[in-house]
Amino acid sequence: RESFYGLNSPGVNQAIVEHISKANPKVKVELIRSIGQRNIRDALQTVLKTANDSDSDVRLESIKVLKDLAEPSHLPKLVDIMVNAKSESELKEAGKMVSSVAHKSVGENPAAAVLNVIDSVKDVNVRCVLLETLGSIGDVNSLGVLRTSLKDDNAEVQTAVVRALSDWPNAAPAADLLKIAQTSDNETCRVLALRGYVRLIGLDSDRS
């Protein structure tokens, strides 16, 4: 692998990309991994396609590479990959991918692609990861959706919201977490909310 990643002759990157379509799954995984290691930007469209490959290992490696290769303009496609993930490992890795790419955004609403689909997602596992991804992105436009989702009847969804608020990059939802810790009927949510509240109040450097 180290030798492969270090090859610098003309045409190597092109050859890597061209071989993907005809490679067997194990070789395809290595070729995709090398795209990430070599930062082959021209291979982005190819990796977006392999993220929907029939082989689970190929899909997972593609998602990992897209985390660094994709740009905010690709977020709608990345969220679509996330929503259609075929396994728990793919779903969680896709959440990391979307969050990582969203953090590259310089726009006013980096979580827009997630917010645009979250209301239409019925699968509880996918919805939970989407909610946690909103927390990781930390866009203030997401707080309304998270607060509304706290009223969901599903305990897993409620827990995902508490995790999202606890992962927030600033103290904006601290009051929400304190209220959950004081009033929630769900013991898991109370414990997570208290931990999150302690973390968030520690982020405020202006406090004496």
Side-chain angles (χ1 to χ4, degrees), residues 1-9 12-13 16 34 37-38:
R1 282 178 180 170
E2 290 180 7
S3 298
F4 190 31
Y5 300 157
L7 291 172
N8 57 10
S9 299
V12 171
N13 287 350
I16 289 172
S34 74
Q37 292 290 328
R38 297 171 66 89

Side-chain angles (χ1 to χ4, degrees), residues 111-166:
V114 177
L115 293 172
N116 287 340
V117 304
I118 197 165
D119 287 339
S120 63
V121 173
K122 304 303 179 186
D123 185 285
V124 173
N125 287 338
V126 176
R127 184 171 176 81
C128 286
V129 176
L130 284 169
L131 289 167
E132 291 180 18
T133 301
L134 288 177
S136 179
I137 295 172
D139 177 15
V140 67
N141 295 294
S142 306
L143 285 175
V145 170
L146 292 172
R147 287 165 178 154
T148 300
S149 297
L150 265 177
K151 303 173 185 176
D152 196 288
D153 294 332
N154 189 291
E156 291 181 37
V157 171
Q158 294 176 13
T159 302
V161 173
V162 176
R163 292 186 189 279
L165 295 174
S166 299

Side-chain angles (χ1 to χ4, degrees), residues 64-97:
K64 291 178 180 178
V65 169
L66 284 170
K67 182 166 59 176
D68 296 319
L69 208 62
E71 297 296 333
S73 60
H74 304 114
L75 278 169
K77 290 183 179 179
L78 302 184
V79 171
D80 185 61
I81 291 170
M82 181 180 175
V83 170
N84 292 291
K86 296 176 176 61
S87 69
E88 189 71 20
S89 57
E90 286 179 41
L91 178 58
K92 291 188 175 181
E93 196 63 42
K96 296 177 186 176
M97 169 189 67

